[in-house]
Amino acid sequence: MSLTDPTRPTDVCLNTDLYELTMAQGFWESGLVDSQACFNAFFRENPFDGGYAVACGMGQIADLVENFVFTDEDVEYLAGLEAPGGGPMFKSSFLEYLRNHRLDLTIDAVPEGELVFPREPMVRVMGPVIDCQLIETALLNLVNFQTLVATKCARVVRAAEGHPVSDFGLRRAQGPDGGLAVARASYIAGAASTSNVLAGKIYGIPVFGTHAHSWVMAFPSELDAFRAFAKSSPKNCVLLLDTYDVRQGIKNAITVAKEMEQAGERLAAIRIDSGDLARLSKQTRAAFDEAGLPYVKISVSNDLDEYTIQSLFAQGAPIDSFGVGTKLATCDPQPSLGGVYKLSAIRGGAAEPWTPVIKLSEQAYKRTIPGVQRVLRYYDDAGCPTADMICLEGQPVADPSRMTDILDPFASYELSGTPVELLERVVEHGRRAKEPDGIEAARDRCKGALMRLDPAVARFLNPQAYPVGLEGGLAQLRHDLAHEERAGSSRPTVG
Amino acid sequence: MSLTDPTRPTDVCLNTDLYELTMAQGFWESGLVDSQACFNAFFRENPFDGGYAVACGMGQIADLVENFVFTDEDVEYLAGLEAPGGGPMFKSSFLEYLRNHRLDLTIDAVPEGELVFPREPMVRVMGPVIDCQLIETALLNLVNFQTLVATKCARVVRAAEGHPVSDFGLRRAQGPDGGLAVARASYIAGAASTSNVLAGKIYGIPVFGTHAHSWVMAFPSELDAFRAFAKSSPKNCVLLLDTYDVRQGIKNAITVAKEMEQAGERLAAIRIDSGDLARLSKQTRAAFDEAGLPYVKISVSNDLDEYTIQSLFAQGAPIDSFGVGTKLATCDPQPSLGGVYKLSAIRGGAAEPWTPVIKLSEQAYKRTIPGVQRVLRYYDDAGCPTADMICLEGQPVADPSRMTDILDPFASYELSGTPVELLERVVEHGRRAKEPDGIEAARDRCKGALMRLDPAVARFLNPQAYPVGLEGGLAQLRHDLAHEERAGSSRPTVG
């Protein structure tokens, strides 16, 4: 496991697909060292059949760029790689170029916690084409999963209707990083806490946890186990009722709760981790109320997601908090956002104008949007977002009251309200453009954005599509470029 | 991102759920410091509706245990945690106990690459109950995902029928660790290579990669781009045909392949990453054959999994190799193994006999197997496994020719052939018991095990269940303990 590998922290630059390096070598050899590119990271469909995604991971992009350096050890590894056809894969002069190469990138991104919609850039990367390629994989590895899991958690939190949700997913995550990403993104998206202690330490997220079934099994009886835990953790006492039989568990927990009262303490909650949570939570609530213990809260866990939580409330389950693990950490049933990183413009050097480019495909929905793009989000008087329009940077908006649908050039939307730039500068020429807001600010931003989102877009079942379109001139440019590329025409050489 | 966080390598011990620490404190306070436990990590159902799983991650357990230490910084973080009810969550005397605490665990595990089946221990952990809890989450975080993704990759490799499979999943993995785990486990399960350069460096896995669509778009024309790549990487040249139009891509690639021939080089392959891969691969093969370029291989990618690969071959697609990314790295459609870690025996001290324990549940399939277990795998004369029997360590096998079904106490299996111990010692009293085999040995083991597996168990559709059962005495013990616990009886105190 890399966690135990002392070489890890220096290896940001090798956390990449090999083709980024073979392309970098190719650009370097083709005399395109000064050529500049603009790439966009985006996704094509909202995850979970939902109406939105929660941008996440962007607060760590500046760290990634500033820490990106090929060490001597990295260069030595690359120097030892053989090409499949024989000989070294990389030329030694190129590797000398890479050694201590620093990224000269300028990056704009959707602020963490803000909502983001299909096909609009969530991260826009500009700079030397070589640098743009070198950062691609690590950047996608950073924002794809965190955006996905933040979106999943926002849905779970919505279903929980104000009751606290705790991330319990570490053991089913993809290694330590996966667990950290789940905890961080979930907190930004509204989770109250995490079981992950390392996430608590690194990110300052509240940590939560009490005991497992094994605690109960390690004692001669459940009652002994409950008493011992109450004695050890009287200020953090949640008793797990379902090691053997919940009915007996309820009785034992009530006994211990009464004993705690006599010692001046309070049993905070009980937890149920298996069985019919709707029925068992009702039985538990009734028993504790009858015993004069209405303050003891009920927490549940066991393969929960947004739909099981909705169902529990629909059945009237008196549940106070949720531990959500597996389905949060793995983003079941859609474990990938499908985020991509596509070239949208090139230029021969930093002083030249941009040339927009387009990628076609047999699959029309894979056709990209050309040009250096910015996004205007239109807000109504109540501060609620009504539509996003993608425009070209540095070009006037032909008609700020109308945009063309991204997928359907024959459909257009009326725009109204106040446009606000969605992307913000996070890296300027390889250096952080500003200190990151921190995860508390991102969490507040997410909460506000979800509160102001049209309920028709926010709902789980058949959500209304949030309008995202292209400014008129950009729509025309895209149309023209698609025709030209289909015809196989050549652009003038850049670089 | 933790990758850029310098505190990471020291933090193995905090990569845990908080409840492991609150339980550890509880055991310590309850005078159970010398109490010993035996835990098993196992899963309850084969992933992907398949007939088996491939054990993976076990080769890194010894690293995990040997690197497990609470630093001053960790203790300081824990000392600052407040209990929900007020006051410190951890007592300072307990934190002093944790400071520089080393794990005194003895661990047996299924060797990496070997097949493993539901409910049998894939990892068995014995030692002080505190230490067993402290390692739980990190251990599951290590083996759960790697076992899942190794299993997924074994299925993809099987579908590819001997054609090379390369892991392309890094950008959709859960951070750098996720990508490393995917690459490592996939290689053990039979992948030929990975795109992940860091995995190549750390684990010595062959790396593979050439160019992306962006390479083509950065040049004035596709032909220019192909020529430039062929010039830069003549010994590692795979041209991607679908940036604009595959028919034009084929023509341009053939032109460049002919030019390469004249320069004494060979175009290794072309790659198609979108569209109807069955039809496009046939058109491509026909065009290259007609052009006298039968040696140019066809590689495909684009949301592949075992089923799409099977379907491509069923359609007669002349494909030579596969790049598999998203669905491998996320283990779509089942992103969690559901691996658990359950207490099976306790004793008051290292010199005392073990007391088997059981966990019940409303959900009968969650009932655990008690006792310190070992697993005998029975092989026939051809070296093929025929059944696994779980027995109690240190107890004679009552009837080595018969076992009771795990789920159905009324069903029994006949056994024949030669029994071999499945678990091997990896850690003894906190120190590695042997040097790990390395991933090449694990890869060989996996290949051999899959080759010898009954095809009825290996198939994707409705696989036959591989027989796993309990030795007669163990089956009786489990039955008796379940009755006792249902009756709410108390065991004698241990510790």
Side-chain angles (χ1 to χ4, degrees), chain B residues 378-386 416-418 448-449 451-453:
Chain B
Y378 285 74
Y379 290 90
D380 65 16
D381 292 345
C384 299
T386 57
S416 64
T418 311
M451 209 166 56
R452 288 187 296 269
L453 182 64

Side-chain angles (χ1 to χ4, degrees), chain A residues 424-441:
Chain A
E424 67 171 23
R425 183 67 40 97
V426 291
V427 172
E428 180 104 35
H429 287 297
R431 295 279 155 203
R432 67 183 65 238
K434 59 176 211 117
E435 280 309 306
D437 297 330
I439 62 171
E440 293 295 341

